[in-house]
Amino acid sequence: MSGESLTLDCLVHIFSYLEAPDLLRAAQVNKTWLEATETASLWRNMCLNQWAFCNISVTPGMQTWKKYYLHRSNIEHKMMSGRPSADYTCKAMRGHQGDIQDMAYLSLNDHTFATGKVKSIVCTASGDGTVKAWDVQEGAQIWSSPKQETKLVQVITLPQHNLVVTRDLSGTIKLWQGDTGKELGAFSAESTFCTTIAYTINNKPFLSVATSSEKIYTLAVPDLSQISCIKPFPNCGVDLSPCSPDGQAIVVLPLNHDEAPKVLYTHDAINPEDDQPMFSSPLPIKNCVFVTCWLPAEPARIALMHGVDQCYNITTVDITIQKSKYKMNIMAQQVATFRLPKKHIFTSYKTIAGFGKQMLFIAFNMELKLYSLDGTELNTFQDHMKTITSIWVDPFRVVTSSLDLSLRVYTWKNDKTSSLVSRYHLVGGSHRWSRGFTTVACDDVSIVGVVAGVDQTDILRAYSFDL
C-alpha cells in the first residue's frame, strides 16, 4: 500500500510514532500529509509527554499545540546551549541601596509559549529596607515599597495569589499586593530571630512563623491575623523547614541541640479549635540540624544535614499521616543515613538540594556532588574557581552560583539514565565591583542571580532566553 492511498486517520496513527523533526519533514511531502501532521492530538501528546503542565488557551486561532511545542522546545534548546547574544540577553537591574538578602520569582511558571510572549517577575528584599518587583525581560523595576524601619531579610512569593511576603530584622511580617506593591497586612512576631514559611491548603494560603521565643505562629492570608500559637518545646526556640510537597508536614527544628526535631501536621496549625496540635515522635537526629530539603517527587520525604565539629551526616526520613478510627498519627520512618567524608570542606554556605526521589545535590566549597540517599557518590563537578553559594534544581536543569562571579548551568540528559551534563557559564561582570554571585533562581525562560557589590550595594543579573 502506498502512502498516497492511506486514509487521514491511518496517517495520523503512523505519525504518532514520530518525533517533532520527523513530523515537520513529513509535512513537506504533500497536502494530505501536511493536513495529518497538523492534527492537534499529535502535538498535544508530544507536549504532555515532554512537560507535566502546559498553559495553553483554547481560544480558536490564538494558540495551537504545535506552536506551543515548537516555541517551548526552542527555549529549552537555547537554555541548553547558552550562546551569548544568540540565545539570551543579559541585563543588570539596579535600584537597591544595600545588600539583597533574598529573592524569589513572583510570576507563575506557566508561560503561554504558543503566543510567543513571556514575562518573568522576581521580587527582592534588601538591607536598604525595601522590597522591589522587577520585570526580567525588560530589565526594569516594576514597583518598590516604602523604606521600612529596619532591614528586610526574607521575601516569599505566593504566585497563585499574586502576593509577596517580607520579614524584617525585628520580626515584623508584612504582606504586599503583587501588581502594585500596596501593603495589605502586618504582624509582629517580636523576635529578632524568626523563620517564615508559606504553604497552601485547599487553595488557601497560610504563613507559619517560628521564633527564638519558643513559639510558632500561624497566620491567615491576606490580613495576617493570628490563627494559632504553638509551643513545641519547653524553654527552646524553634526553626522550621519549608512545608512538604503534599502540604501536610512541617519539620520543627529546635534551637537547643539537646532536643530532637519533630514533625507538625499543618491541619492542626490552621485548626486550633481541634485537640492539642499533633507532633510526631522525635526524629532520629541527635545533634544540630544545619539545613533541610524535600525530595520533590515524594509526598513528604525530607533530607536533613546535621552534625557537630565538622562531622556531618545526611539522614532521610519519610513522613506519613496515618488515620485510625479515632485519631491521626504522624509517622516518621528513616529511609537512609550516611556520613559525609571529613575531607569535604564546608564554608558558611551549607547548600543541599533534592532531585526526584533518590538524589541529593551537595555543594562542598568549589565542588558540586550528586549523591544517592545511601551516600553513594554518583557524580562530581568542578566547574567553579571559588565557593558555590547556592544550588537551583528543577526537573530540567541545575544552576549553581559562585563567588567566582559566574553561574554554571547543567541539564539532564534526555534519556533514562538521569545523568547530568555540565553545559556553560553565565558570567556576572567584573571582580573590581563585585564579590560574586550569592544566590540564583530560574524559571522556564530566564535565570536571575544576585551579584554582591564590594560597596554592599547589590544588583540583579538577569539572563532572558528569547523565543
Side-chain angles (χ1 to χ4, degrees):
M1 180 181 292
S2 67
E4 295 180 355
S5 63
L6 293 174
T7 66
L8 188 64
D9 287 343
C10 287
L11 285 172
V12 170
H13 177 74
I14 293 169
F15 290 165
S16 68
Y17 294 95
L18 299 181
E19 299 293 334
D22 299 322
L23 204 55
L24 294 173
R25 283 189 286 269
Q28 301 175 33
V29 173
N30 56 44
K31 290 183 178 180
T32 303
W33 283 38
L34 173 61
E35 182 183 357
T37 61
E38 293 290 332
T39 302
S41 61
L42 292 175
W43 296 98
R44 178 182 182 275
N45 290 337
M46 279 196 290
C47 286
L48 297 179
N49 287 334
Q50 183 74 10
W51 305 290
F53 176 79
C54 300
N55 180 29
I56 182 166
S57 168
V58 295
T59 305
M62 294 297 294
Q63 302 187 61
T64 68
W65 287 103
K66 179 182 178 181
K67 287 182 180 179
Y68 186 99
Y69 184 91
L70 295 177
H71 283 158
R72 189 165 181 180
S73 296
N74 183 39
I75 280 280
E76 289 201 348
H77 174 75
K78 290 184 174 183
M79 294 189 81
M80 186 179 296
S81 61
R83 298 168 299 169
S85 300
D87 293 331
Y88 65 85
T89 55
C90 177
K91 296 183 178 181
M93 297 189 287
R94 296 177 171 86
H96 282 299
Q97 301 302 311
D99 56 337
I100 296 176
Q101 293 278 321
D102 202 4
M103 171 184 67
Y105 273 85
L106 174 61
S107 49
L108 287 164
N109 198 16
D110 60 354
H111 303 279
T112 52
F113 290 96
T115 64
K117 297 179 181 179
V118 295
K119 184 175 182 179
S120 303
I121 299 172
V122 296
C123 292
T124 50
S126 171
D128 66 10
T130 65
V131 55
K132 298 179 185 292
W134 309 84
D135 185 317
V136 174
Q137 280 71 32
E138 295 296 326
Q141 178 181 302
I142 300 172
W143 56 259
S144 175
S145 72
K147 186 174 181 180
Q148 305 300 293
E149 294 182 0
T150 185
K151 68 189 299 183
L152 300 183
V153 294
Q154 186 181 11
V155 64
I156 300 170
T157 55
L158 299 165
Q160 295 284 356
H161 305 276
N162 199 26
L163 297 171
V164 181
V165 182
T166 59
R167 173 174 61 86
D168 69 19
L169 199 57
S170 67
T172 298
I173 315 299
K174 289 193 174 183
L175 190 72
W176 312 86
Q177 211 281 331
D179 286 333
T180 63
K182 177 183 177 182
E183 183 179 325
L184 300 177
F187 175 86
S188 177
E190 299 180 344
S191 174
T192 55
F193 176 89
C194 60
T195 301
T196 305
I197 65 169
Y199 49 95
T200 301
I201 299 176
N202 296 327
N203 204 36
K204 294 182 179 180
F206 299 91
L207 303 179
S208 285
V209 184
T211 70
S212 57
S213 58
E214 310 173 19
K215 300 173 183 176
I216 300 176
Y217 298 99
T218 297
L219 311 178
V221 174
D223 61 353
L224 298 189
S225 59
Q226 180 179 318
I227 298 174
S228 66
C229 179
I230 299 170
K231 291 187 176 182
F233 302 101
N235 305 314
C236 177
V238 288
D239 196 1
L240 296 177
S241 77
C243 189
S244 61
D246 65 4
Q248 296 195 74
I250 300 168
V251 177
V252 182
L253 308 169
L255 300 183
N256 181 343
H257 303 157
D258 293 331
E259 301 280 357
K262 299 178 182 178
V263 181
L264 171 64
Y265 182 33
T266 53
H267 173 86
D268 289 354
I270 66 172
N271 292 281
E273 68 277 3
D274 292 350
D275 294 336
Q276 289 295 316
M278 183 173 61
F279 291 93
S280 70
S281 300
L283 301 185
I285 309 293
K286 298 184 180 298
N287 40 40
C288 175
V289 176
F290 294 104
V291 66
T292 65
C293 71
W294 295 97
L295 279 296
E298 287 284 356
R301 172 174 289 179
I302 191 168
L304 304 95
M305 179 187 292
H306 57 101
V308 65
D309 297 332
Q310 297 296 313
C311 294
Y312 299 103
N313 294 334
I314 304 291
T315 299
T316 305
V317 177
D318 274 345
I319 299 165
T320 56
I321 311 297
Q322 295 187 355
K323 300 179 181 179
S324 64
K325 185 175 181 179
Y326 299 106
K327 65 176 183 177
M328 302 177 69
N329 295 307
I330 302 177
M331 307 299 295
Q333 181 177 1
Q334 181 174 306
V335 176
T337 188
F338 68 95
R339 175 161 292 185
L340 294 170
K342 283 190 176 182
K343 64 179 181 179
H344 295 320
I345 300 174
F346 275 109
T347 63
S348 58
Y349 300 94
K350 294 179 176 63
T351 305
I352 182 172
F355 177 76
K357 299 180 179 182
Q358 299 285 339
M359 288 186 281
L360 297 170
F361 287 95
I362 305 175
F364 299 97
N365 201 3
M366 297 178 289
E367 292 185 332
L368 176 67
K369 291 184 177 289
L370 179 60
Y371 284 94
S372 65
L373 298 187
D374 63 3
T376 301
E377 188 175 311
L378 304 176
N379 213 335
T380 299
F381 299 92
Q382 298 175 313
D383 295 305
H384 288 291
M385 303 300 293
K386 290 187 177 181
T387 300
I388 294 172
T389 54
S390 71
I391 308 171
W392 175 272
V393 179
D394 64 36
F396 304 104
R397 65 194 60 85
V398 176
V399 186
T400 54
S401 63
S402 171
L403 295 181
D404 66 8
L405 202 50
S406 76
L407 307 175
R408 188 69 184 180
V409 179
Y410 307 82
T411 61
W412 299 100
K413 277 189 176 179
N414 192 19
D415 55 25
K416 298 180 180 180
T417 63
S418 294
S419 56
L420 194 68
V421 180
S422 180
R423 296 294 183 181
Y424 56 91
H425 276 302
L426 297 170
V427 295
S430 169
H431 275 290
R432 181 180 179 184
W433 313 109
S434 308
R435 294 181 287 116
F437 279 104
T438 56
T439 190
V440 66
C442 71
D443 65 3
D444 287 340
V445 297
S446 65
I447 299 173
V448 180
V450 175
V451 180
V454 295
D455 60 353
Q456 305 300 316
T457 300
D458 296 355
I459 68 169
L460 295 178
R461 186 74 65 174
Y463 306 86
S464 179
F465 291 80
D466 305 314
L467 281 172

